[in-house]
Structures are given as structure tokens and as C-alpha cells.
């Protein structure tokens, strides 16, 4: 059993409170939820009970906030959960909002990954795109499916375009080509594609 150690009104929203348990921020609640559930400093409470209170009083608000956040740009499930967590919503409430968004078709990591690859492939290689999608919480299966249309030929053409822009106004000496090679690698292209792109300049030696 844990103890409520502080309940403070939020600075930016006087209708909400921050609830601290055992000296640490636990969650955000509406003031009326705090009052109606008679929460007070020194009271013992479980994580489960806090989740119940927040679920009862704020699941609709959490969904609305998540939907508004999602309307600006597409997000992954992990990003929505992180956003709601920063707003003080507990995992159970975030689960409710995510499930509801998913049921309405507003949240789909597979579709997100496909759109992300289509956009990112214009300036990045598959290796970097894969890393970025992983960091956003997209599953390996969904990443591989989204990367299915990104073949080696397409990556090579994009790498050549990036390389041409990078080399504009530069001499194609050994040192510059080494830097160009590292540049392509930093963009997520593998060794073979980077070397092939450099070969298109008329000198594939980049070692």
C-alpha cells in the first residue's frame, strides 16, 4: 500500500490536480474527481485504485486529448502512450484511449510505417528508416512489410541524387570521397549502395 504525499493544483489548468504518491508524481486528476473520491494527503491508496478513479473520471478526456494530438500529424501507438503519460494519464487510461483510436481506424502502426517509408525513402536509406521506425515502437513485422517496396534499385537512385547534391562544388579527391561515403552511410545506406553511388561519379575508390 502506498501513501498520497501531496495533491497540488496544476499551474496551467486550475481544474486539474497533480497527485503524488510516496513522494513521486503519480497521475493527474480533475479537481472534482479528487473531491468526489475524498482523496487527501496521508491517505493510503493502491495503484489499482488510482487507475480506477482516473478511468471513471477521465477516460473521455484522455481520448479527446489523444485525438487532438493525432490530428496534427500521424503518430504510432507508442508515441500516443508517451504523450498521454506526460499529461499524467495512467497506463490503463492510455490503453483505453489507444484501443478506442485503433477501433475507429485513427491509429494504425502498419499504415503509419508505410507512409513513413514512402516519405523518408526520398532522403534516407532503409537501414536508418528501420531504426527510426523501431524507436517509434513499430513492430518488426510491420516494418518489414512497409519496407517491402523499397528495393535496392530505388535506394541506389536516391543515394546517387543525394550524393550529387553533396558533391556540388567539391573536388572529387580521395578525402572528399571518403567524407561522401561516410555521409551516405549516415543517411542509412549500406556499404554496397554507398559504394555503387560513389562509382557513379567515375571513381568508386572510397577506401
Amino acid at each position: 500500500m502506498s501513501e498520497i504525499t501531496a495533491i497540488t493544483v496544476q499551474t496551467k489548468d486550475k481544474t486539474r490536480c497533480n497527485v503524488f504518491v510516496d513522494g513521486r508524481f503519480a497521475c493527474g486528476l480533475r479537481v472534482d474527481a479528487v473531491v468526489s473520491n475524498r482523496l487527501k494527503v496521508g491517505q493510503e491508496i493502491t495503484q489499482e485504485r488510482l487507475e480506477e478513479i482516473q478511468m471513471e473520471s477521465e477516460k473521455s478526456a484522455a481520448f479527446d486529448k489523444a485525438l487532438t494530438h493525432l490530428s496534427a500529424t500521424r503518430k504510432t501507438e507508442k508515441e500516443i502512450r508517451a504523450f498521454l503519460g506526460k499529461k499524467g494519464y495512467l497506463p490503463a487510461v492510455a490503453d483505453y484511449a489507444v484501443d478506442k483510436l485503433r477501433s475507429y481506424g485513427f491509429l494504425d502502426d502498419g499504415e503509419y510505417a508505410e507512409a513513413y517509408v514512402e516519405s523518408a525513402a526520398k532522403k534516407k536509406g532503409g537501414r536508418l528508416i528501420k531504426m527510426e521506425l523501431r524507436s517509434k515502437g513499430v513492430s518488426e513485422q510491420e516494418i518489414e512489410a512497409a519496407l517491402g517496396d523499397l528495393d535496392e534499385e530505388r535506394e541506389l537512385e536516391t543515394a546517387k541524387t543525394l550524393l550529387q547534391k553533396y558533391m556540388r562544388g567539391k573536388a572529387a579527391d580521395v578525402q572528399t570521397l571518403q567524407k561522401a561515403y561516410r555521409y551516405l552511410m549516415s543517411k542509412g545506406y549500406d556499404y554496397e549502395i554507398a559504394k555503387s553511388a560513389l562509382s557513379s561519379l567515375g571513381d568508386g575508390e572510397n577506401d
Side-chain angles (χ1 to χ4, degrees):
M1 189 75 71
S2 299
E3 180 181 327
I4 297 176
T5 49
I7 300 174
T8 61
V9 177
Q10 293 183 0
T11 303
K12 295 182 179 180
D13 187 349
K14 302 300 183 182
T15 68
R16 291 177 60 79
C17 292
N18 291 327
V19 179
F20 295 81
V21 173
D22 293 338
R24 296 182 178 181
F25 174 74
C27 68
L29 289 173
R30 292 207 314 266
V31 172
D32 60 353
V34 172
V35 174
S36 63
N37 286 280
R38 300 179 181 178
L39 300 181
K40 58 184 179 181
V41 174
Q43 177 182 343
E44 291 188 339
I45 195 166
T46 63
Q47 175 75 10
E48 291 74 20
R49 180 54 186 153
L50 269 178
E51 289 183 350
E52 288 176 5
I53 294 171
Q54 196 180 65
M55 182 68 80
E56 291 168 3
S57 66
E58 299 202 58
K59 62 182 183 181
S60 294
F63 172 76
D64 289 342
K65 285 185 181 296
L67 186 59
T68 300
H69 186 56
L70 192 61
S71 66
T73 57
R74 297 188 68 153
K75 306 289 191 305
T76 63
E77 291 186 15
K78 179 181 178 180
E79 290 172 328
I80 289 295
R81 292 180 193 279
F83 167 76
L84 291 175
K86 289 179 180 179
K87 291 294 182 182
Y89 292 103
L90 294 166
V93 180
D95 287 343
Y96 167 85
V98 165
D99 287 344
K100 192 170 182 180
L101 288 169
R102 196 190 298 122
S103 71
Y104 286 157
F106 297 147
L107 197 58
D108 187 317
D109 280 4
E111 290 184 1
Y112 175 93
E114 290 176 4
Y116 191 89
V117 169
E118 186 60 32
S119 175
K122 298 173 184 177
K123 53 188 176 181
K124 301 174 184 176
R127 184 167 52 84
L128 180 57
I129 294 173
K130 182 180 290 189
M131 289 174 57
E132 291 175 342
L133 286 172
R134 281 175 180 163
S135 72
K136 293 174 180 293
V138 180
S139 71
E140 289 297 322
Q141 184 178 356
E142 289 168 325
I143 291 173
E144 291 303 324
L147 286 170
D149 293 332
L150 185 59
D151 57 27
E152 187 173 317
E153 182 179 349
R154 182 181 174 190
E155 280 199 277
L156 179 56
E157 288 306 310
T158 305
K160 287 179 179 179
T161 300
L162 291 176
L163 181 60
Q164 288 170 1
K165 291 180 180 178
Y166 178 85
M167 292 296 295
R168 194 169 296 157
K170 298 183 177 73
D173 55 40
V174 174
Q175 186 176 8
T176 302
L177 290 175
Q178 288 176 338
K179 290 181 179 179
Y181 170 75
R182 290 193 291 270
Y183 168 75
L184 289 177
M185 293 293 285
S186 73
K187 289 292 184 178
Y189 296 100
D190 62 26
Y191 169 80
E192 291 300 331
I193 289 177
K195 190 165 186 177
S196 295
L198 284 166
S199 296
S200 71
L201 296 176
D203 187 350
E205 294 300 323
N206 57 298
D207 296 322

PDB file of all heavy atoms in Angstrom, residues 145-167:
ATOM      1  N   ALA A 145       7.103  -5.228 -43.654  1.00  0.00           N
ATOM      2  CA  ALA A 145       6.043  -5.096 -44.662  1.00  0.00           C
ATOM      3  C   ALA A 145       6.111  -3.736 -45.338  1.00  0.00           C
ATOM      4  O   ALA A 145       5.947  -3.619 -46.564  1.00  0.00           O
ATOM      5  CB  ALA A 145       4.680  -5.300 -44.002  1.00  0.00           C
ATOM      6  N   ALA A 146       6.361  -2.708 -44.555  1.00  0.00           N
ATOM      7  CA  ALA A 146       6.423  -1.348 -45.106  1.00  0.00           C
ATOM      8  C   ALA A 146       7.645  -1.150 -45.995  1.00  0.00           C
ATOM      9  O   ALA A 146       7.604  -0.392 -46.965  1.00  0.00           O
ATOM     10  CB  ALA A 146       6.430  -0.328 -43.974  1.00  0.00           C
ATOM     11  N   LEU A 147       8.729  -1.834 -45.659  1.00  0.00           N
ATOM     12  CA  LEU A 147       9.962  -1.696 -46.437  1.00  0.00           C
ATOM     13  C   LEU A 147       9.975  -2.595 -47.671  1.00  0.00           C
ATOM     14  O   LEU A 147      10.932  -2.564 -48.445  1.00  0.00           O
ATOM     15  CB  LEU A 147      11.176  -2.036 -45.565  1.00  0.00           C
ATOM     16  CG  LEU A 147      11.569  -0.990 -44.510  1.00  0.00           C
ATOM     17  CD1 LEU A 147      12.625  -1.562 -43.574  1.00  0.00           C
ATOM     18  CD2 LEU A 147      12.092   0.280 -45.173  1.00  0.00           C
ATOM     19  N   GLY A 148       8.915  -3.359 -47.861  1.00  0.00           N
ATOM     20  CA  GLY A 148       8.858  -4.312 -48.967  1.00  0.00           C
ATOM     21  C   GLY A 148       9.054  -3.704 -50.337  1.00  0.00           C
ATOM     22  O   GLY A 148       9.649  -4.330 -51.225  1.00  0.00           O
ATOM     23  N   ASP A 149       8.565  -2.483 -50.549  1.00  0.00           N
ATOM     24  CA  ASP A 149       8.670  -1.841 -51.864  1.00  0.00           C
ATOM     25  C   ASP A 149       9.955  -1.029 -52.038  1.00  0.00           C
ATOM     26  O   ASP A 149      10.207  -0.488 -53.109  1.00  0.00           O
ATOM     27  CB  ASP A 149       7.472  -0.912 -52.101  1.00  0.00           C
ATOM     28  CG  ASP A 149       6.161  -1.695 -52.225  1.00  0.00           C
ATOM     29  OD1 ASP A 149       6.228  -2.859 -52.661  1.00  0.00           O
ATOM     30  OD2 ASP A 149       5.106  -1.136 -51.878  1.00  0.00           O
ATOM     31  N   LEU A 150      10.746  -0.957 -50.964  1.00  0.00           N
ATOM     32  CA  LEU A 150      11.981  -0.176 -51.038  1.00  0.00           C
ATOM     33  C   LEU A 150      13.116  -1.115 -51.480  1.00  0.00           C
ATOM     34  O   LEU A 150      13.869  -1.635 -50.666  1.00  0.00           O
ATOM     35  CB  LEU A 150      12.306   0.447 -49.681  1.00  0.00           C
ATOM     36  CG  LEU A 150      13.509   1.395 -49.622  1.00  0.00           C
ATOM     37  CD1 LEU A 150      13.326   2.565 -50.568  1.00  0.00           C
ATOM     38  CD2 LEU A 150      13.716   1.898 -48.193  1.00  0.00           C
ATOM     39  N   ASP A 151      13.230  -1.314 -52.785  1.00  0.00           N
ATOM     40  CA  ASP A 151      14.244  -2.231 -53.287  1.00  0.00           C
ATOM     41  C   ASP A 151      15.587  -1.535 -53.462  1.00  0.00           C
ATOM     42  O   ASP A 151      15.716  -0.318 -53.327  1.00  0.00           O
ATOM     43  CB  ASP A 151      13.797  -2.883 -54.596  1.00  0.00           C
ATOM     44  CG  ASP A 151      13.463  -1.858 -55.692  1.00  0.00           C
ATOM     45  OD1 ASP A 151      14.029  -0.740 -55.658  1.00  0.00           O
ATOM     46  OD2 ASP A 151      12.627  -2.170 -56.547  1.00  0.00           O
ATOM     47  N   GLU A 152      16.606  -2.322 -53.784  1.00  0.00           N
ATOM     48  CA  GLU A 152      17.966  -1.806 -53.890  1.00  0.00           C
ATOM     49  C   GLU A 152      18.101  -0.768 -55.000  1.00  0.00           C
ATOM     50  O   GLU A 152      18.818   0.231 -54.848  1.00  0.00           O
ATOM     51  CB  GLU A 152      18.926  -2.972 -54.149  1.00  0.00           C
ATOM     52  CG  GLU A 152      20.386  -2.575 -54.122  1.00  0.00           C
ATOM     53  CD  GLU A 152      21.313  -3.777 -54.221  1.00  0.00           C
ATOM     54  OE1 GLU A 152      21.031  -4.783 -53.537  1.00  0.00           O
ATOM     55  OE2 GLU A 152      22.288  -3.702 -54.982  1.00  0.00           O
ATOM     56  N   GLU A 153      17.393  -0.989 -56.105  1.00  0.00           N
ATOM     57  CA  GLU A 153      17.475  -0.044 -57.228  1.00  0.00           C
ATOM     58  C   GLU A 153      16.958   1.333 -56.830  1.00  0.00           C
ATOM     59  O   GLU A 153      17.563   2.358 -57.160  1.00  0.00           O
ATOM     60  CB  GLU A 153      16.672  -0.592 -58.406  1.00  0.00           C
ATOM     61  CG  GLU A 153      16.738   0.285 -59.649  1.00  0.00           C
ATOM     62  CD  GLU A 153      15.959  -0.291 -60.819  1.00  0.00           C
ATOM     63  OE1 GLU A 153      15.535  -1.458 -60.736  1.00  0.00           O
ATOM     64  OE2 GLU A 153      15.770   0.442 -61.814  1.00  0.00           O
ATOM     65  N   ARG A 154      15.858   1.338 -56.120  1.00  0.00           N
ATOM     66  CA  ARG A 154      15.289   2.616 -55.686  1.00  0.00           C
ATOM     67  C   ARG A 154      16.211   3.313 -54.693  1.00  0.00           C
ATOM     68  O   ARG A 154      16.415   4.531 -54.773  1.00  0.00           O
ATOM     69  CB  ARG A 154      13.913   2.376 -55.060  1.00  0.00           C
ATOM     70  CG  ARG A 154      13.201   3.639 -54.620  1.00  0.00           C
ATOM     71  CD  ARG A 154      11.865   3.302 -53.997  1.00  0.00           C
ATOM     72  NE  ARG A 154      11.209   4.477 -53.442  1.00  0.00           N
ATOM     73  CZ  ARG A 154      10.121   4.433 -52.681  1.00  0.00           C
ATOM     74  NH1 ARG A 154       9.550   3.268 -52.414  1.00  0.00           N
ATOM     75  NH2 ARG A 154       9.595   5.538 -52.197  1.00  0.00           N
ATOM     76  N   GLU A 155      16.768   2.559 -53.771  1.00  0.00           N
ATOM     77  CA  GLU A 155      17.695   3.143 -52.802  1.00  0.00           C
ATOM     78  C   GLU A 155      18.926   3.719 -53.501  1.00  0.00           C
ATOM     79  O   GLU A 155      19.408   4.798 -53.140  1.00  0.00           O
ATOM     80  CB  GLU A 155      18.135   2.089 -51.783  1.00  0.00           C
ATOM     81  CG  GLU A 155      17.134   1.821 -50.687  1.00  0.00           C
ATOM     82  CD  GLU A 155      17.779   1.147 -49.491  1.00  0.00           C
ATOM     83  OE1 GLU A 155      17.931  -0.081 -49.526  1.00  0.00           O
ATOM     84  OE2 GLU A 155      18.133   1.857 -48.530  1.00  0.00           O
ATOM     85  N   LEU A 156      19.430   3.002 -54.490  1.00  0.00           N
ATOM     86  CA  LEU A 156      20.623   3.459 -55.203  1.00  0.00           C
ATOM     87  C   LEU A 156      20.360   4.772 -55.939  1.00  0.00           C
ATOM     88  O   LEU A 156      21.198   5.682 -55.912  1.00  0.00           O
ATOM     89  CB  LEU A 156      21.081   2.384 -56.191  1.00  0.00           C
ATOM     90  CG  LEU A 156      22.313   2.735 -57.045  1.00  0.00           C
ATOM     91  CD1 LEU A 156      23.503   3.105 -56.165  1.00  0.00           C
ATOM     92  CD2 LEU A 156      22.665   1.580 -57.972  1.00  0.00           C
ATOM     93  N   GLU A 157      19.221   4.883 -56.579  1.00  0.00           N
ATOM     94  CA  GLU A 157      18.895   6.116 -57.299  1.00  0.00           C
ATOM     95  C   GLU A 157      18.803   7.302 -56.347  1.00  0.00           C
ATOM     96  O   GLU A 157      19.276   8.404 -56.646  1.00  0.00           O
ATOM     97  CB  GLU A 157      17.576   5.943 -58.070  1.00  0.00           C
ATOM     98  CG  GLU A 157      17.686   5.030 -59.282  1.00  0.00           C
ATOM     99  CD  GLU A 157      18.796   5.456 -60.229  1.00  0.00           C
ATOM    100  OE1 GLU A 157      18.860   6.653 -60.590  1.00  0.00           O
ATOM    101  OE2 GLU A 157      19.631   4.600 -60.592  1.00  0.00           O
ATOM    102  N   THR A 158      18.203   7.075 -55.174  1.00  0.00           N
ATOM    103  CA  THR A 158      18.098   8.150 -54.185  1.00  0.00           C
ATOM    104  C   THR A 158      19.471   8.507 -53.637  1.00  0.00           C
ATOM    105  O   THR A 158      19.790   9.683 -53.437  1.00  0.00           O
ATOM    106  CB  THR A 158      17.176   7.732 -53.023  1.00  0.00           C
ATOM    107  OG1 THR A 158      15.913   7.325 -53.539  1.00  0.00           O
ATOM    108  CG2 THR A 158      16.958   8.881 -52.052  1.00  0.00           C
ATOM    109  N   ALA A 159      20.286   7.487 -53.378  1.00  0.00           N
ATOM    110  CA  ALA A 159      21.637   7.725 -52.875  1.00  0.00           C
ATOM    111  C   ALA A 159      22.448   8.538 -53.881  1.00  0.00           C
ATOM    112  O   ALA A 159      23.205   9.438 -53.503  1.00  0.00           O
ATOM    113  CB  ALA A 159      22.327   6.392 -52.588  1.00  0.00           C
ATOM    114  N   LYS A 160      22.299   8.235 -55.171  1.00  0.00           N
ATOM    115  CA  LYS A 160      23.010   8.988 -56.215  1.00  0.00           C
ATOM    116  C   LYS A 160      22.579  10.453 -56.209  1.00  0.00           C
ATOM    117  O   LYS A 160      23.411  11.362 -56.344  1.00  0.00           O
ATOM    118  CB  LYS A 160      22.730   8.378 -57.582  1.00  0.00           C
ATOM    119  CG  LYS A 160      23.431   7.053 -57.846  1.00  0.00           C
ATOM    120  CD  LYS A 160      23.063   6.538 -59.237  1.00  0.00           C
ATOM    121  CE  LYS A 160      23.753   5.218 -59.555  1.00  0.00           C
ATOM    122  NZ  LYS A 160      23.365   4.726 -60.904  1.00  0.00           N
ATOM    123  N   THR A 161      21.288  10.682 -56.066  1.00  0.00           N
ATOM    124  CA  THR A 161      20.771  12.058 -56.055  1.00  0.00           C
ATOM    125  C   THR A 161      21.332  12.832 -54.867  1.00  0.00           C
ATOM    126  O   THR A 161      21.772  13.993 -55.012  1.00  0.00           O
ATOM    127  CB  THR A 161      19.237  12.051 -55.981  1.00  0.00           C
ATOM    128  OG1 THR A 161      18.713  11.370 -57.127  1.00  0.00           O
ATOM    129  CG2 THR A 161      18.679  13.468 -55.952  1.00  0.00           C
ATOM    130  N   LEU A 162      21.332  12.205 -53.696  1.00  0.00           N
ATOM    131  CA  LEU A 162      21.878  12.850 -52.502  1.00  0.00           C
ATOM    132  C   LEU A 162      23.365  13.117 -52.660  1.00  0.00           C
ATOM    133  O   LEU A 162      23.872  14.166 -52.244  1.00  0.00           O
ATOM    134  CB  LEU A 162      21.627  11.973 -51.270  1.00  0.00           C
ATOM    135  CG  LEU A 162      20.185  11.833 -50.798  1.00  0.00           C
ATOM    136  CD1 LEU A 162      20.103  10.857 -49.636  1.00  0.00           C
ATOM    137  CD2 LEU A 162      19.616  13.179 -50.361  1.00  0.00           C
ATOM    138  N   LEU A 163      24.054  12.157 -53.248  1.00  0.00           N
ATOM    139  CA  LEU A 163      25.493  12.300 -53.437  1.00  0.00           C
ATOM    140  C   LEU A 163      25.815  13.450 -54.385  1.00  0.00           C
ATOM    141  O   LEU A 163      26.756  14.215 -54.144  1.00  0.00           O
ATOM    142  CB  LEU A 163      26.071  10.988 -53.982  1.00  0.00           C
ATOM    143  CG  LEU A 163      27.580  10.958 -54.208  1.00  0.00           C
ATOM    144  CD1 LEU A 163      28.324  11.207 -52.903  1.00  0.00           C
ATOM    145  CD2 LEU A 163      28.003   9.626 -54.816  1.00  0.00           C
ATOM    146  N   GLN A 164      25.046  13.575 -55.444  1.00  0.00           N
ATOM    147  CA  GLN A 164      25.273  14.661 -56.400  1.00  0.00           C
ATOM    148  C   GLN A 164      25.125  16.022 -55.721  1.00  0.00           C
ATOM    149  O   GLN A 164      25.901  16.951 -55.960  1.00  0.00           O
ATOM    150  CB  GLN A 164      24.304  14.535 -57.572  1.00  0.00           C
ATOM    151  CG  GLN A 164      24.629  13.382 -58.516  1.00  0.00           C
ATOM    152  CD  GLN A 164      23.532  13.113 -59.523  1.00  0.00           C
ATOM    153  OE1 GLN A 164      22.508  13.805 -59.551  1.00  0.00           O
ATOM    154  NE2 GLN A 164      23.732  12.105 -60.367  1.00  0.00           N
ATOM    155  N   LYS A 165      24.118  16.130 -54.870  1.00  0.00           N
ATOM    156  CA  LYS A 165      23.924  17.388 -54.145  1.00  0.00           C
ATOM    157  C   LYS A 165      25.079  17.633 -53.179  1.00  0.00           C
ATOM    158  O   LYS A 165      25.549  18.767 -53.021  1.00  0.00           O
ATOM    159  CB  LYS A 165      22.598  17.342 -53.377  1.00  0.00           C
ATOM    160  CG  LYS A 165      21.371  17.360 -54.268  1.00  0.00           C
ATOM    161  CD  LYS A 165      20.094  17.308 -53.426  1.00  0.00           C
ATOM    162  CE  LYS A 165      18.856  17.334 -54.315  1.00  0.00           C
ATOM    163  NZ  LYS A 165      17.602  17.240 -53.520  1.00  0.00           N
ATOM    164  N   TYR A 166      25.532  16.559 -52.516  1.00  0.00           N
ATOM    165  CA  TYR A 166      26.619  16.687 -51.549  1.00  0.00           C
ATOM    166  C   TYR A 166      27.922  17.107 -52.236  1.00  0.00           C
ATOM    167  O   TYR A 166      28.694  17.924 -51.705  1.00  0.00           O
ATOM    168  CB  TYR A 166      26.831  15.356 -50.825  1.00  0.00           C
ATOM    169  CG  TYR A 166      27.979  15.370 -49.835  1.00  0.00           C
ATOM    170  CD1 TYR A 166      27.799  15.828 -48.537  1.00  0.00           C
ATOM    171  CD2 TYR A 166      29.258  14.952 -50.213  1.00  0.00           C
ATOM    172  CE1 TYR A 166      28.850  15.858 -47.636  1.00  0.00           C
ATOM    173  CE2 TYR A 166      30.318  14.983 -49.326  1.00  0.00           C
ATOM    174  CZ  TYR A 166      30.108  15.433 -48.035  1.00  0.00           C
ATOM    175  OH  TYR A 166      31.160  15.472 -47.148  1.00  0.00           O
ATOM    176  N   MET A 167      28.159  16.571 -53.425  1.00  0.00           N
ATOM    177  CA  MET A 167      29.416  16.810 -54.134  1.00  0.00           C
ATOM    178  C   MET A 167      29.423  18.115 -54.937  1.00  0.00           C
ATOM    179  O   MET A 167      30.459  18.491 -55.491  1.00  0.00           O
ATOM    180  CB  MET A 167      29.706  15.644 -55.083  1.00  0.00           C
ATOM    181  CG  MET A 167      30.018  14.337 -54.379  1.00  0.00           C
ATOM    182  SD  MET A 167      31.538  14.402 -53.393  1.00  0.00           S
ATOM    183  CE  MET A 167      32.778  14.660 -54.684  1.00  0.00           C
TER     184      MET A 167
END
